[in-house]
Structure formats: structure tokens, C-alpha cells
Amino acid sequence: METQTILIKNSTIVGEDVRRGSVLIEDDKIVDITRKGSTGADEVIDAEGQVLIPGLVNTHTHLSMSLMRGLADDLPLEIWLNDHIWPVEAHLEGEHCYVGALLSALEMIKSGTTTCNDMYFFMDEVAQAIDESGIRGLLCHGMIDLSDEDKRKQEYKETLRIIEKCHNTADGRIQVALGPHTPYTCSTELLNWVREKADEKGLKIHIHVSETEKEVEDSLKDRKKRPFEYLEDINFLGPDVIAAHSVWLSGAEIALIKDKDVKISHNPLSNMKLASGISPVSDMLANDVCVSLGTDGVASNNNLDLFQEMKTASLLQKVRNLDPTVLPANKMLEMATINGANALGMEKEIGTIEVGKKADLILVDMKKPHLTPYRNPISHLVYSAQGSDVNTVICNGQILMQEREVMIMDEAEVIEMAENAAEDLISKS
């Protein structure tokens, strides 16, 4: 196969420092970073007035829930789930999940996310959408058994099927994790099985933990232990665990998370919308815990724009601590890039702009009124930029969007498909 090269020239590169320069991509990798542009590339992108950063990493979402956007707003989590979301999900079919994931992939491309960590259902259909979209994904089937043995066996079977069918496919862009939903919807038997399979197959584990105060109270009532303490008691925790939310934590749990090198996915907008609380992110970062950034599903956010999450996460920690120096812009950008890569076990491939790493890159157009005057690119990226300022997206060396035009799929067609699929799903509920 003939080598394909892309040269991005005249950009402001945000790496260990901020500098003007050019990046040369060969096939799927970055092969040169220089202050001068070279010649002879198959494709040359003049990035004058734009900032080049790593593709953003969304470490917790439910892609196919995009079909439920605006379905059940302004409700507590328990009512939102039990009375609205789960009844609709009971009617999900593979086609719904495929179209919903395709819509979410389109939205992520248009707002600069090149990698996602997704938990949901019909994950082979989701994998098909991720493959077609050109982005990178760590996918898992959301496992719930509610201590029902027959349901548990079905969850084992479906999880193993997805691993067999989808793991390490799409030229390595798609990987599969194990996805126990929560400690309170999964039996100890299921969680023990997940731990065993993760060790056996070398897979990541994606789980919601301590999202609400009620979850912690119920755990103390039922098990006499807080959620993370219970998970440690059954030897579940480890560096391969990605725990979403982690809002209600004790100091002892933060020490436990650090000791076991558990990775945390912070979802500020979803936590705020559902009034779940404010995660002690600054405390975890002070204890050298790897905290990354996620959006959660669209039904509780209601979009997938990680630029919004960056600003919100930073400001939320400042208010929580009454300290404007907490979680500064550069640390916030790290949470959305290299911390996310580290959480997903991809830090050697993505998350920074370095020679030898995968070419997962985005260009952000700084020639906008809300980004003027152009003084501090990192500050602008975190506090001023929006997903719609993303001009060009490259993943695995493939241009997915250029000059705001999505190259990999027909945007209008995807939107129409999603409208029809959402109408079909709701009509069946």
C-alpha cells in the first residue's frame, strides 16, 4: 500500500510548550515536528491562524443515547432512569443503536473529539458506526443482572460475543472493555467474573461508581461499606478500572483510588444537570489520581462538546474550593487529552503531539470574535473556545473533517436517519 503523507504547516502547536511550526504525518503516525514546513506531501493544510492540539478524549459516554436528546430533562437521576430512560431502552434495537452512535460520532467529529469510551447495548452495531466514522473507540456492553442468575448468564454471553467480534478491529481503532454498569445493579458474582476476565484477557473495565449520594447511602445500609470500599473488599479495583462520575468520595476512598491507580472520568455537566453533586476533582489531582473528562450520554448533558466540559470543570472546582487558582487551563487541557489517553491505556499512542504517536489531531480556528485578541492559546482553548471552532479533524492519519466539512460521512443523511430512528424508538415506547 502506497504511503500517504499530510503536512500541517504554519500552525501554533500546543505540546510541552507552545510554538509555531509544522507537523508531518505519514500514514497513521506523526513522523516529524519542525519549525519549518517541508515539501512534497500528498496533502498540505495551511493552518495559519489555527491552533493544533491532540484530538480530545471522551472517557465516559453512551453514544446511542443521542436519540433521547431532550427526552427527560430536569429530573432526579432515579426518576430519570426508572421512569423515562429504562422504559425507552427496553425497546432499543440494533438499528437504533447504530444510527444513534453514528449521530454521536458526527457530533464528536464536529467538536474535536477523536476517541471515546462508550458503554451501551448492541455494541457490534455501535462498532460498525465507529468504524464508518473513522474515530477511535473503547466499547463495552453495559452489564446489569440485578442478582438474577439467568440475566447474569446472558450478560456473560453477550459480553464475550462482543469481545470476540469487535476487539482490536478497524485497524486497531476499536477495542473492547468489560462494562459492569454499577456496583448496585451488578451482583458480586458478576463483578468477580468481570475481574477474572479482565485479568485473563488484558481488558479494561468501565463502571459507574458513586454518582449520587443515595448510591453511597444505600451501599452503607446494605453492605456497611462505601462503594469503592466494597469494590476493594472483593478485589475488584486496579489500574485497568475506569470509574465514571465518582462524585461522593471520602478521603479514605481517594487514598484507595490512588493506591490502586484507578482512573476517574469526571462528567461535570451531567452531574450538574442531574444535580448529582460536585466531584472532588482537585483533591484527587492533588493526590496524583488520573482524572480525565467525559460527557456522559446526551440524554443527561445534552451534547458531546468537550470544550464545554473543560470550561465547566475548571470553573466548578474553583467555586467548590473558593480558589481561582485551582485547576488552571493547562491542567484542564491535559485532562481532556493525555489524561484521557492514560485512562484508556492509550497514552503511548495518543494524547500528545509527539513523533511516533498516532496522528489524532485537531485544528481550532482562532480567527473568531470570541477568541480575539489572540494572546494565550491555552486559555482561549479552555475558557473561550467552543466545539464549533474546530476547523479540521484527523484521526489515525485520516482527515475526517476539513474546513468544517465532514469528509467521512454525509452529514445531512445522518441527521435525517437519526430523526427517523428517534421517532421510531419513541413511538414504540
Side-chain angles (χ1 to χ4, degrees), residues 251-275:
E253 283 181 297
I254 292 175
L256 183 59
I257 290 166
K258 165 59 180 174
D259 182 59
K260 296 298 178 179
D261 196 19
V262 174
K263 312 304 190 294
I264 303 298
S265 177
H266 177 44
N267 298 248
L269 284 170
S270 177
N271 294 157
M272 291 168 69
K273 185 166 185 280
L274 293 169

mmCIF file of all heavy atoms in Angstrom, residues 251-275:
data_model
loop_
_atom_site.group_PDB
_atom_site.id
_atom_site.type_symbol
_atom_site.label_atom_id
_atom_site.label_comp_id
_atom_site.label_asym_id
_atom_site.label_seq_id
_atom_site.Cartn_x
_atom_site.Cartn_y
_atom_site.Cartn_z
ATOM 1 N N GLY A 251 -12.244 10.830 52.042
ATOM 2 C CA GLY A 251 -10.798 10.943 51.940
ATOM 3 C C GLY A 251 -10.133 9.585 51.841
ATOM 4 O O GLY A 251 -9.159 9.412 51.091
ATOM 5 N N ALA A 252 -10.680 8.614 52.583
ATOM 6 C CA ALA A 252 -10.124 7.256 52.545
ATOM 7 C C ALA A 252 -10.306 6.635 51.167
ATOM 8 O O ALA A 252 -9.426 5.901 50.686
ATOM 9 C CB ALA A 252 -10.796 6.396 53.613
ATOM 10 N N GLU A 253 -11.433 6.936 50.507
ATOM 11 C CA GLU A 253 -11.657 6.393 49.168
ATOM 12 C C GLU A 253 -10.700 7.016 48.157
ATOM 13 O O GLU A 253 -10.211 6.334 47.258
ATOM 14 C CB GLU A 253 -13.109 6.620 48.745
ATOM 15 C CG GLU A 253 -14.094 5.665 49.399
ATOM 16 C CD GLU A 253 -15.512 5.899 48.941
ATOM 17 O OE1 GLU A 253 -16.031 7.008 49.202
ATOM 18 O OE2 GLU A 253 -16.100 4.995 48.320
ATOM 19 N N ILE A 254 -10.437 8.305 48.299
ATOM 20 C CA ILE A 254 -9.472 8.948 47.397
ATOM 21 C C ILE A 254 -8.099 8.308 47.559
ATOM 22 O O ILE A 254 -7.398 8.033 46.572
ATOM 23 C CB ILE A 254 -9.423 10.472 47.647
ATOM 24 C CG1 ILE A 254 -10.742 11.120 47.219
ATOM 25 C CG2 ILE A 254 -8.250 11.102 46.897
ATOM 26 C CD1 ILE A 254 -10.835 12.601 47.528
ATOM 27 N N ALA A 255 -7.712 8.023 48.796
ATOM 28 C CA ALA A 255 -6.430 7.340 49.038
ATOM 29 C C ALA A 255 -6.442 5.944 48.430
ATOM 30 O O ALA A 255 -5.431 5.487 47.869
ATOM 31 C CB ALA A 255 -6.167 7.271 50.542
ATOM 32 N N LEU A 256 -7.587 5.276 48.502
ATOM 33 C CA LEU A 256 -7.722 3.942 47.921
ATOM 34 C C LEU A 256 -7.624 3.993 46.400
ATOM 35 O O LEU A 256 -6.949 3.164 45.773
ATOM 36 C CB LEU A 256 -9.070 3.357 48.346
ATOM 37 C CG LEU A 256 -9.415 1.933 47.921
ATOM 38 C CD1 LEU A 256 -8.385 0.951 48.452
ATOM 39 C CD2 LEU A 256 -10.812 1.574 48.414
ATOM 40 N N ILE A 257 -8.289 4.976 45.798
ATOM 41 C CA ILE A 257 -8.240 5.167 44.343
ATOM 42 C C ILE A 257 -6.797 5.396 43.896
ATOM 43 O O ILE A 257 -6.346 4.829 42.898
ATOM 44 C CB ILE A 257 -9.146 6.347 43.929
ATOM 45 C CG1 ILE A 257 -10.619 5.965 44.107
ATOM 46 C CG2 ILE A 257 -8.862 6.783 42.500
ATOM 47 C CD1 ILE A 257 -11.567 7.146 44.052
ATOM 48 N N LYS A 258 -6.080 6.234 44.646
ATOM 49 C CA LYS A 258 -4.679 6.492 44.329
ATOM 50 C C LYS A 258 -3.846 5.227 44.468
ATOM 51 O O LYS A 258 -3.045 4.880 43.591
ATOM 52 C CB LYS A 258 -4.139 7.587 45.255
ATOM 53 C CG LYS A 258 -2.624 7.717 45.285
ATOM 54 C CD LYS A 258 -2.038 8.012 43.900
ATOM 55 C CE LYS A 258 -0.518 8.129 43.987
ATOM 56 N NZ LYS A 258 0.091 8.265 42.641
ATOM 57 N N ASP A 259 -4.043 4.500 45.572
ATOM 58 C CA ASP A 259 -3.256 3.308 45.849
ATOM 59 C C ASP A 259 -3.449 2.236 44.784
ATOM 60 O O ASP A 259 -2.490 1.558 44.395
ATOM 61 C CB ASP A 259 -3.634 2.748 47.223
ATOM 62 C CG ASP A 259 -2.809 1.532 47.600
ATOM 63 O OD1 ASP A 259 -1.567 1.664 47.654
ATOM 64 O OD2 ASP A 259 -3.396 0.456 47.831
ATOM 65 N N LYS A 260 -4.679 2.100 44.291
ATOM 66 C CA LYS A 260 -4.991 1.080 43.287
ATOM 67 C C LYS A 260 -4.850 1.605 41.857
ATOM 68 O O LYS A 260 -5.090 0.867 40.902
ATOM 69 C CB LYS A 260 -6.408 0.545 43.508
ATOM 70 C CG LYS A 260 -6.581 -0.190 44.841
ATOM 71 C CD LYS A 260 -5.683 -1.414 44.906
ATOM 72 C CE LYS A 260 -5.803 -2.136 46.235
ATOM 73 N NZ LYS A 260 -4.951 -3.340 46.283
ATOM 74 N N ASP A 261 -4.469 2.878 41.716
ATOM 75 C CA ASP A 261 -4.279 3.506 40.399
ATOM 76 C C ASP A 261 -5.531 3.410 39.533
ATOM 77 O O ASP A 261 -5.466 3.201 38.317
ATOM 78 C CB ASP A 261 -3.079 2.887 39.675
ATOM 79 C CG ASP A 261 -2.603 3.731 38.497
ATOM 80 O OD1 ASP A 261 -2.947 4.934 38.446
ATOM 81 O OD2 ASP A 261 -1.920 3.178 37.615
ATOM 82 N N VAL A 262 -6.695 3.548 40.172
ATOM 83 C CA VAL A 262 -7.961 3.587 39.430
ATOM 84 C C VAL A 262 -8.034 4.897 38.656
ATOM 85 O O VAL A 262 -7.620 5.952 39.147
ATOM 86 C CB VAL A 262 -9.161 3.472 40.406
ATOM 87 C CG1 VAL A 262 -10.484 3.667 39.674
ATOM 88 C CG2 VAL A 262 -9.142 2.123 41.114
ATOM 89 N N LYS A 263 -8.557 4.842 37.433
ATOM 90 C CA LYS A 263 -8.698 6.030 36.609
ATOM 91 C C LYS A 263 -10.121 6.595 36.762
ATOM 92 O O LYS A 263 -11.091 5.830 36.755
ATOM 93 C CB LYS A 263 -8.423 5.703 35.140
ATOM 94 C CG LYS A 263 -7.149 4.887 34.884
ATOM 95 C CD LYS A 263 -5.908 5.539 35.456
ATOM 96 C CE LYS A 263 -4.620 4.869 34.991
ATOM 97 N NZ LYS A 263 -4.436 3.487 35.473
ATOM 98 N N ILE A 264 -10.242 7.900 36.888
ATOM 99 C CA ILE A 264 -11.539 8.541 37.118
ATOM 100 C C ILE A 264 -11.958 9.347 35.892
ATOM 101 O O ILE A 264 -11.167 10.104 35.333
ATOM 102 C CB ILE A 264 -11.488 9.480 38.342
ATOM 103 C CG1 ILE A 264 -11.051 8.710 39.597
ATOM 104 C CG2 ILE A 264 -12.837 10.165 38.560
ATOM 105 C CD1 ILE A 264 -11.971 7.593 40.014
ATOM 106 N N SER A 265 -13.212 9.183 35.482
ATOM 107 C CA SER A 265 -13.782 10.010 34.411
ATOM 108 C C SER A 265 -14.760 11.004 35.028
ATOM 109 O O SER A 265 -15.800 10.621 35.570
ATOM 110 C CB SER A 265 -14.511 9.147 33.377
ATOM 111 O OG SER A 265 -15.111 9.974 32.392
ATOM 112 N N HIS A 266 -14.409 12.268 34.963
ATOM 113 C CA HIS A 266 -15.210 13.351 35.531
ATOM 114 C C HIS A 266 -16.204 13.853 34.484
ATOM 115 O O HIS A 266 -15.824 14.153 33.353
ATOM 116 C CB HIS A 266 -14.280 14.480 35.970
ATOM 117 C CG HIS A 266 -14.969 15.679 36.508
ATOM 118 N ND1 HIS A 266 -16.016 15.616 37.397
ATOM 119 C CD2 HIS A 266 -14.740 17.016 36.296
ATOM 120 C CE1 HIS A 266 -16.415 16.846 37.701
ATOM 121 N NE2 HIS A 266 -15.657 17.700 37.046
ATOM 122 N N ASN A 267 -17.472 13.941 34.877
ATOM 123 C CA ASN A 267 -18.556 14.331 33.959
ATOM 124 C C ASN A 267 -19.330 15.522 34.531
ATOM 125 O O ASN A 267 -20.469 15.377 34.994
ATOM 126 C CB ASN A 267 -19.510 13.156 33.751
ATOM 127 C CG ASN A 267 -18.852 11.955 33.114
ATOM 128 O OD1 ASN A 267 -19.136 11.597 31.981
ATOM 129 N ND2 ASN A 267 -17.979 11.295 33.855
ATOM 130 N N PRO A 268 -18.740 16.704 34.532
ATOM 131 C CA PRO A 268 -19.331 17.825 35.275
ATOM 132 C C PRO A 268 -20.713 18.258 34.817
ATOM 133 O O PRO A 268 -21.595 18.502 35.646
ATOM 134 C CB PRO A 268 -18.309 18.954 35.082
ATOM 135 C CG PRO A 268 -17.530 18.573 33.859
ATOM 136 C CD PRO A 268 -17.472 17.084 33.877
ATOM 137 N N LEU A 269 -20.945 18.356 33.513
ATOM 138 C CA LEU A 269 -22.232 18.859 33.055
ATOM 139 C C LEU A 269 -23.370 17.897 33.358
ATOM 140 O O LEU A 269 -24.452 18.301 33.786
ATOM 141 C CB LEU A 269 -22.180 19.176 31.553
ATOM 142 C CG LEU A 269 -21.444 20.470 31.202
ATOM 143 C CD1 LEU A 269 -21.235 20.591 29.701
ATOM 144 C CD2 LEU A 269 -22.196 21.681 31.726
ATOM 145 N N SER A 270 -23.152 16.607 33.167
ATOM 146 C CA SER A 270 -24.170 15.612 33.511
ATOM 147 C C SER A 270 -24.440 15.621 35.010
ATOM 148 O O SER A 270 -25.592 15.578 35.457
ATOM 149 C CB SER A 270 -23.727 14.222 33.059
ATOM 150 O OG SER A 270 -24.667 13.245 33.444
ATOM 151 N N ASN A 271 -23.366 15.688 35.810
ATOM 152 C CA ASN A 271 -23.539 15.724 37.260
ATOM 153 C C ASN A 271 -24.306 16.959 37.710
ATOM 154 O O ASN A 271 -25.107 16.905 38.650
ATOM 155 C CB ASN A 271 -22.177 15.685 37.958
ATOM 156 C CG ASN A 271 -21.408 14.391 37.762
ATOM 157 O OD1 ASN A 271 -20.196 14.358 37.879
ATOM 158 N ND2 ASN A 271 -22.108 13.317 37.435
ATOM 159 N N MET A 272 -24.092 18.072 37.031
ATOM 160 C CA MET A 272 -24.809 19.302 37.361
ATOM 161 C C MET A 272 -26.270 19.223 36.922
ATOM 162 O O MET A 272 -27.177 19.598 37.664
ATOM 163 C CB MET A 272 -24.119 20.493 36.693
ATOM 164 C CG MET A 272 -22.750 20.813 37.275
ATOM 165 S SD MET A 272 -21.820 21.983 36.253
ATOM 166 C CE MET A 272 -22.789 23.471 36.504
ATOM 167 N N LYS A 273 -26.506 18.710 35.734
ATOM 168 C CA LYS A 273 -27.869 18.664 35.199
ATOM 169 C C LYS A 273 -28.761 17.746 36.029
ATOM 170 O O LYS A 273 -29.941 18.034 36.245
ATOM 171 C CB LYS A 273 -27.853 18.203 33.738
ATOM 172 C CG LYS A 273 -29.211 18.245 33.054
ATOM 173 C CD LYS A 273 -29.057 18.107 31.552
ATOM 174 C CE LYS A 273 -30.405 18.260 30.857
ATOM 175 N NZ LYS A 273 -31.219 17.047 30.910
ATOM 176 N N LEU A 274 -28.181 16.627 36.495
ATOM 177 C CA LEU A 274 -28.941 15.692 37.326
ATOM 178 C C LEU A 274 -28.813 16.023 38.815
ATOM 179 O O LEU A 274 -29.330 15.290 39.659
ATOM 180 C CB LEU A 274 -28.457 14.259 37.075
ATOM 181 C CG LEU A 274 -28.758 13.698 35.670
ATOM 182 C CD1 LEU A 274 -28.011 12.397 35.445
ATOM 183 C CD2 LEU A 274 -30.250 13.500 35.471
ATOM 184 N N ALA A 275 -28.126 17.137 39.113
ATOM 185 C CA ALA A 275 -27.920 17.576 40.500
ATOM 186 C C ALA A 275 -27.314 16.464 41.351
ATOM 187 O O ALA A 275 -27.674 16.278 42.514
ATOM 188 C CB ALA A 275 -29.219 18.082 41.117
#
